[in-house]
Amino acid sequence: MGKVKNWAMENAENFLSNLESQIKSGAQTITSAMLLVNSADIAWDLIGFNHMSEVEEYLEDVKRKALHDN
């Protein structure tokens, strides 16, 4: 994999990881997180998301699991 592609993948993973942490802590809602997702220049397809709706579903699962664990 090329250096630019690796950088884009790492950037996407880090962005998603930060959103996950913020959602789990309650600092971000799904709605506000999706505003960031939609406005960010992230190559979501590099980490397995083909549509923004898939990112939203994933974040909803993160929130559901966080609520269940508490």
Side-chain angles (χ1 to χ4, degrees):
M1 206 180 304
K3 288 183 181 181
V4 173
K5 193 171 183 180
N6 281 338
W7 172 84
M9 182 183 283
E10 204 171 294
N11 193 35
E13 290 171 344
N14 290 338
F15 190 90
L16 184 60
S17 179
N18 286 335
L19 284 179
E20 288 175 24
S21 296
Q22 292 173 5
I23 287 170
K24 287 177 184 176
S25 72
Q28 257 329 328
T29 64
I30 300 298
T31 302
S32 61
M34 286 309 297
L35 289 172
L36 292 172
V37 165
N38 288 320
S39 64
D41 187 18
I42 300 291
W44 295 106
D45 59 316
L46 292 178
I47 58 171
F49 297 103
N50 297 313
H51 303 284
M52 291 298 104
S53 62
E54 294 175 355
V55 178
E56 186 170 16
E57 289 172 14
Y58 176 80
L59 294 175
E60 287 171 350
D61 285 344
V62 167
K63 182 176 181 175
R64 234 184 324 274
K65 289 175 185 172
L67 291 173
H68 182 266
D69 290 343
N70 289 330

